[in-house]
Amino acid sequence: MTNNEAEAAGSSRVSGGAAGSASTSSAAKIEITEKVRVLCLHGYRQDADSFKNKLGSFRKFAGKYADFVFISAPHVAAPLEPQGNLVEEQRSWWANKDDGTFKGTNKSGPAIGFQDSLHVVEEAWKTQGPFQGLLGFSQGACFVGLICGLAKKKLTSIRPEFAVLSSGFISGSLVHMSAYEERITIPTLHIYGLTDEIIPKDMSEALAAQFKNVEVLEHDGGHYFPAKAQQKQTYINFFQDRLQEYLEHLELQQSSNASFIDSAEEDDGGVTDANDAEVAAVTAAAGSDMDDSD
């Protein structure tokens, strides 16, 4: 694993779904009256429905603490083949090859359709929200990493408070390089398979190194989002902690609003008392003048 794990404060490694003690203790503190909401981005050639189905067990594990909303990437228009036949359109957040396809290991390629896809996610974040977190798989996880980097630089309207990135990687598209200039501080859970041949683990580790508050879940499989019994507690703990933070934020916000209202009322009361005193003094003076004139 990268040096990021050793130096990141609050970071931890979870192999096979072992639970952290801090996460377990947080469960006793919270009463489940709310859920965090998470916007989910699928991988290449998937869509919202297929990704939702693949995450059925995962959603069952985390559903007590989070609601998951799934959106689909737009179709990427591919150029004509030499014979003049249109290449079949693929669902993709962007294409990084000139033939309109995408490959995670491709370096120095374009990012065809990326801005359109970013607009789709920004619209969903705005119109289907509020959301607190992002979740992505494969190209979707790469996209989540990019969005976090753009949010850090205030180049997108999306402001995630946490993220889950499964089989993620750093984009090789040249136009995306600036998104990785600063490390991201929000809590993140990075998931990858030790035998993944599509996105090797070192690519996912490189993405994790872009974040400071990192938890890592390794599994023995390949290129898929794991949701077996051994991963259950990791997911529960992660979303318990995110819900705890969210509820604490709401409580502080409500307390701050209440303090502001109380302060405003006190200020209004002080002004009213002063005005009443001034009016009483003027009235008394006027009454005295009238007595003298009589």
Side-chain angles (χ1 to χ4, degrees):
M1 194 55 194
T2 63
N3 292 332
N4 178 58
E5 291 177 63
E7 63 188 33
S11 298
S12 62
R13 172 181 291 274
V14 181
S15 181
S21 58
S23 300
T24 303
S25 64
S26 69
K29 300 178 184 177
I30 59 177
E31 178 182 354
I32 307 302
T33 57
E34 298 281 350
K35 294 183 181 183
V36 291
R37 301 188 73 240
V38 184
L39 189 60
C40 304
L41 310 185
H42 59 75
Y44 182 49
R45 294 184 178 178
Q46 292 183 344
D47 59 24
D49 290 337
S50 64
F51 191 38
K52 183 177 181 180
N53 291 335
K54 289 179 183 294
L55 264 60
S57 296
F58 165 80
R59 291 187 291 112
K60 184 177 180 180
F61 295 156
K64 185 177 180 180
Y65 313 100
D67 285 328
F68 301 94
V69 176
F70 295 79
I71 61 171
S72 285
H75 286 295
V76 173
L80 292 174
E81 290 181 335
Q83 296 82 4
N85 299 320
L86 281 173
V87 177
E88 182 181 358
E89 289 183 325
Q90 302 285 352
R91 284 204 176 275
S92 177
W93 297 109
W94 69 93
N96 64 3
K97 299 175 70 177
D98 291 334
D99 63 1
T101 61
F102 179 86
K103 189 173 183 179
T105 55
N106 195 41
K107 302 296 181 183
S108 304
I112 303 167
F114 176 79
Q115 289 299 328
D116 290 338
S117 290
L118 180 60
H119 179 71
V120 168
V121 180
E122 288 175 335
E123 281 297 302
W125 186 270
K126 176 182 177 182
T127 61
Q128 299 181 49
F131 294 102
Q132 287 73 49
L134 288 169
L135 178 151
F137 171 72
S138 194
Q139 189 188 30
C142 177
F143 200 177
V144 168
L146 285 168
I147 290 172
C148 292
L150 293 174
K152 176 79 172 180
K153 298 167 76 71
K154 295 182 171 57
L155 296 177
T156 176
S157 57
I158 302 170
R159 294 290 185 271
E161 298 170 22
F162 64 87
V164 178
L165 307 95
S166 179
S167 299
F169 53 94
I170 292 176
S171 172
S173 298
L174 292 175
V175 296
H176 291 156
M177 292 300 99
S178 62
Y180 302 108
E181 290 176 345
E182 301 180 49
R183 293 176 71 200
I184 314 301
T185 58
I186 63 172
T188 52
L189 174 61
H190 298 259
I191 307 161
Y192 57 80
L194 299 178
T195 59
D196 192 335
E197 296 181 356
I198 297 175
I199 302 298
K201 73 165 189 171
D202 61 324
M203 293 180 65
S204 293
E205 289 173 340
L207 177 61
Q210 298 294 319
F211 295 82
K212 293 183 178 181
N213 191 355
V214 174
E215 184 173 350
V216 172
L217 172 59
E218 296 178 344
H219 62 95
D220 293 332
H223 194 68
Y224 60 84
F225 198 116
K228 296 181 180 180
Q230 58 263 43
Q231 289 97 33
K232 177 179 179 180
Q233 198 59 48
T234 299
Y235 296 144
I236 289 175
N237 290 344
F238 182 81
F239 283 101
Q240 276 183 341
D241 288 348
R242 304 295 75 77
L243 179 57
Q244 176 76 42
E245 292 166 354
Y246 173 62
L247 294 177
E248 289 175 353
H249 174 75
L250 287 181
E251 185 177 350
L252 286 173
Q253 194 173 47
Q254 291 170 355
S255 176
S256 177
N257 289 341
S259 299
F260 176 79
I261 293 172
D262 291 343
S263 176
E265 288 178 347
E266 289 175 2
D267 291 343
D268 289 345
V271 171
T272 301
D273 291 344
N275 288 342
D276 289 345
E278 184 177 354
V279 170
V282 171
T283 302
S288 177
D289 291 343
M290 289 176 64
D291 291 339
D292 293 342
S293 63
D294 288 341

